[in-house]
Each structure stands twice: as C-alpha cells, then as structure tokens.
Amino acid sequence: QVQLVESGGGLVQAGGSLRLSCAASGRTLDNYHMGWFRQAPGKERDFVAAISRSGSSTYHADSVKGRFTISRDNAKNTVYLQMNSLKPEDTAVYYCAASNVFATRAEHVAYWGQGTQVTVSS
C-alpha cells in the first residue's frame, strides 16, 4: 500500500504558474504508474495527466496539453505537475493517483491522495 500527500496548491492569477508535488510513503512510487486528476465543484473527477513507472511515457488531457507537464523523480519518491498559463477553468481540487495500470479513468486508480486546492482568479 502507498500513501500519497499533495502540496503546492494555492491561489494564482490567470496566466500564472504553480507546481504541484505528490510525495509517497509506504511502497516506493516506481511500483506504480502515476497520474493527476482534478475535480471542480459539482463536477466529476477528470483526468489531467499520467506518467509511466519509469517516466518514459506521459499523456496529457487535451484541455491541458501544452500548458501542464507531468514528471516524476523516483529517487525522491515524488511526482510533479507543472502548470503554466493557468486559466480560471483550471480551478479545482487536484488529486494525485497511483495505479497498477496506465490510468486515464478514475475507476482504474488504486490509491488517491487527499487533494490540494488550486484556484485561478481572472
């Protein structure tokens, strides 16, 4: 089992940047494919980005492609989400996810973090 803790969320103006981090304890992260999902109030939890166990493969949702970048440092047991050119519609709680498959759907995620709030003001 792995425990995930996100950090780095906050309030930022449109056009700004944030970097989210997800630190793991328990099992090492290189056992899992990792990802980020987000959930806005009243909406479903949506896929944002995923990265393979080794970091050699990544996939980003169309809504964030070219603006967000997922990465991982297995030596530090940490996954990152660099978010640039943020828009008000990016406002959501962002969740770190660990999976045994390369998950782009929430139902395929094995472990979730507690979430971190990102708010983008216009």
Side-chain angles (χ1 to χ4, degrees), residues 8-110:
L11 173 64
V12 64
Q13 288 189 332
S17 298
L18 284 174
R19 188 176 81 154
L20 305 183
S21 298
C22 172
S25 60
R27 296 193 72 189
T28 56
L29 273 186
D30 57 6
N31 287 286
Y32 302 99
H33 301 289
M34 299 298 297
W36 290 94
F37 288 72
R38 67 186 181 186
Q39 188 166 20
K43 295 189 176 182
E44 294 184 348
R45 192 169 297 189
D46 291 332
F47 168 77
V48 175
I51 188 166
S52 61
R53 290 187 181 93
S54 67
S56 60
S57 297
T58 62
Y59 182 67
H60 297 79
D62 288 343
S63 58
V64 307
K65 202 168 292 183
R67 300 187 298 122
F68 292 10
T69 303
I70 189 171
S71 63
R72 67 191 297 163
D73 186 337
N74 286 340
K76 295 183 177 180
N77 234 22
T78 303
V79 177
Y80 306 97
L81 185 68
Q82 178 66 44
M83 305 186 295
N84 299 328
S85 302
L86 281 160
K87 304 175 182 180
E89 51 264 43
D90 294 319
T91 295
V93 177
Y94 283 71
Y95 295 91
C96 180
S99 309
N100 297 306
V101 298
F102 196 80
T104 60
R105 298 168 64 93
E107 56 263 40
H108 296 152
V109 172

